[in-house]
Amino acid sequence: MTRHNRTLRAVLLTAMLPLTLTGIPDATAETEVSSAAAALATGLGITPAQARDRLAAQEAAAGVSSALRTDPTDGFAGQWFDRASGRLAVAVTTSAAADRARAAGAVPHSVARDQAELDRLTAAVAGLAGGGVPGISGWGVDPVANEVVVRHVRGASTAGTRSFLDALAELGPGVQVRDTASAPAPQAGEVRPGDPWWPGGESNCSVGFAATDSNGGKHFVTAGHCTDNADQPAYGDSGGQDRIGTSNVGGTHSVNAREGDMGAVAVTGTDWELSAEVNTWGEEPVTVAGSAEPMVGQAVCHSGNTSKWQCGEVTAVDQTVDYGGVIVEGLATTTACSMGGDSGGAWLAGDLAVGLHSGGQASCSPGGAEDQSILQPVEEAVQKWSLTLYTGDDGLSAAGR
């Protein structure tokens, strides 16, 4: 098979449906769940049976979350997947909210600060930070602790940093500073999720998820810092070989700013096709069955060209990250490691697509920092450019190599 006939393997994100525990899955679904469980088991170092149980519990929790539809004005203040109980946990400030959570199948946890107070504190931190503070790598709400956490890089303080930290102390006990070993950084690095692609003559990034537009045109979404340049050729091999298509068409298909870290590449090469399989680097490919927003406590894995297949847990969502000159909002942090060249790659929760790789600590050495890798929620990227992520049954070929 020639290189030009390589398949663009990417995953379609679809609207997530609540888990039906009483239904009997068909053979195809069983195969997909098994491959997802095997890949997760490898990444987390657990048994396939444990991985299957974890994924089933997470899907059930996601279904409860979707059905509950919490409103901050109704006494809700965040949610997370509780690994100990295997259920959705919800922070509440009123007895009525607690009753609603229990009725939906969630476990309520009473907290002191409601969502409005957390939002006020987050806005106050952002106002103090302005365009960035030396040694401050980001901030956001920790729903389990019911507080806003500001991440401070040890040893990177200046007089300005100390003034900022003093001002934070004035905000009260709802804001806490946590030290980290190092600051995150955007990471740049066949085209299927996790395989490399090259923006022009630059170093490679990784492919996220394939998508189609309303006219059936083919695309894939990836990291915005990989698609900064308008109308840049996108290649499947280094040295300007095997053109896939065009990145950031018209200069309107890339964001690397407060709004997010996301971009789209138009796939126009006649020998490139879309597929609904994710490269797991040694295990059977995972076929995505749906989508989910990232959730605190959720087990996730990502496929990237450099670190290959890495798994961990989501530690925070809706976070603001300062990449050193570029501040991005709405990101999620995880314990999975990553390295340069992984940017844009696919993040999965079992067989549900959740994000695009944005950045991290750029190390997979043992004993790394807790919040090692960062992802951009993928639903936001798809919605921004009115794309539909590809499942393989949209009339486009999903053939292998």
Side-chain angles (χ1 to χ4, degrees), residues 9 35 38-39 42-43 190-198 204-207 277-286 301-311 341-342 345-346 348 401:
R9 298 182 181 272
S35 63
T42 298
E190 17 219 287
V191 185
R192 57 180 175 175
D195 286 355
W197 73 279
W198 280 259
N204 72 273
C205 286
S206 294
V207 174
E277 295 182 344
V278 176
N279 182 5
T280 59
W281 303 92
E283 297 292 340
E284 288 295 316
V286 174
C301 301
H302 76 96
S303 181
N305 175 62
T306 310
S307 67
K308 308 308 181 187
W309 181 253
Q310 301 292 338
C311 300
D342 290 340
L348 304 170
R401 299 182 180 212

Side-chain angles (χ1 to χ4, degrees), residues 220-245:
F220 69 82
V221 287
T222 185
H225 67 267
C226 295
T227 55
D228 281 340
N229 297 330
D231 299 314
Q232 187 174 37
Y235 298 104
D237 204 350
S238 60
Q241 301 182 70
D242 301 334
R243 183 163 180 171
I244 301 170

Side-chain angles (χ1 to χ4, degrees), residues 84 96 123 131 142 147-148 187 222 250-251 263 266 282 292 296 317 319 358:
D142 179 343
E147 60 192 18
V148 176
Q187 296 167 344
T222 185
V296 172
V317 299
Q319 298 292 294
S358 176

Side-chain angles (χ1 to χ4, degrees), residues 129 131-137 151-153 156-162 164-165 322:
V133 178
I136 301 301
S137 62
R151 295 178 292 280
H152 170 244
V153 181
S157 294
T158 65
T161 311
R162 290 187 287 274
F164 172 75
L165 295 177
D322 188 341

